Amino acid sequence: MKSTLLICICLFISLFSYSQKSIELSFQQDARLLLVGDDKGNYPLTFNFLAKAEIPVFKIKKNHISIYPTVEYADLVGGNYQRYAFGAAYAVESLYGKIGATAFFDYGNIYRKGADQSFSSFSLSGELSYKINNWLKVTCTQQLTQRKDLKVLYD
């Protein structure tokens, strides 16, 4: 595990020095858990935070390919949820005016306190963004994540 982490850090640092543009930091909250909760007993105002650092590695006209590490944490009824992943993305910087779109694919591990084990998972996401200025965007993301932990916790 330590060697894998060391390799990821070295790769991250080397790609940081090669990146075409600035790193994009993204901080998101799950709107469904925040506003209505879910059918697993999580009430509205449930905290579910996702952080991502996108590093552009190839520029293609007004598009780019980037890599990113991501961390997600949620205070859920069945035990806290943590997901750590590494992935790649293809971004179209301007679909129409200030509106952009990005497709993400990543692989990572889910850790659940209630299950006392980790689960590998894939995730596929699509994002629409509206660029307010050079350093701020408002985004809407749809994320599909493989959740093996739900089968163990809820059968």
Side-chain angles (χ1 to χ4, degrees):
M1 178 66 179
K2 289 182 181 180
S3 62
T4 305
L5 182 61
L6 181 61
I7 290 169
C8 287
I9 290 172
C10 290
L11 181 64
F12 181 76
I13 290 170
S14 66
L15 288 172
F16 173 70
S17 64
Y18 175 72
S19 68
Q20 303 280 328
K21 202 175 174 183
S22 63
I23 293 176
E24 289 187 21
L25 299 176
S26 173
F27 304 103
Q28 301 172 7
Q29 163 68 37
D30 186 314
R32 179 177 169 215
L33 283 175
L34 180 69
L35 300 174
V36 296
D38 66 10
D39 61 350
K40 306 282 190 266
N42 295 298
Y43 295 105
L45 301 178
T46 298
F47 180 74
N48 182 357
F49 182 74
L50 185 134
K52 187 184 310 177
E54 283 184 64
I55 306 154
V57 290
F58 298 108
K59 182 82 170 159
I60 307 165
K61 295 185 182 179
K62 290 191 173 193
N63 309 327
H64 67 269
I65 295 172
S66 59
I67 60 170
Y68 62 91
T70 185
V71 176
E72 185 174 6
Y73 177 85
D75 283 326
L76 302 178
V77 170
N80 68 25
Y81 169 90
Q82 299 171 41
R83 183 170 187 273
Y84 303 93
F86 193 78
Y90 181 76
V92 177
E93 295 171 8
S94 179
L95 276 177
Y96 182 76
K98 295 183 175 188
I99 298 172
T102 308
F104 299 95
F105 178 77
D106 60 52
Y107 177 78
N109 280 325
I110 294 172
Y111 301 93
R112 288 295 298 265
K113 187 174 182 180
D116 292 324
Q117 59 182 315
S118 68
F119 307 89
S120 61
S121 73
F122 292 97
S123 179
L124 181 63
S125 303
E127 177 180 281
L128 287 176
S129 61
Y130 179 78
K131 188 173 183 177
I132 294 174
N133 56 36
N134 286 337
W135 58 272
L136 184 62
K137 293 180 191 176
V138 175
T139 64
C140 179
T141 304
Q142 177 64 45
Q143 181 183 32
L144 301 171
T145 302
Q146 179 187 25
R147 296 283 307 271
K148 295 177 186 176
D149 60 312
L150 294 177
K151 185 160 182 89
V152 171
L153 288 171
Y154 300 106
D155 194 29

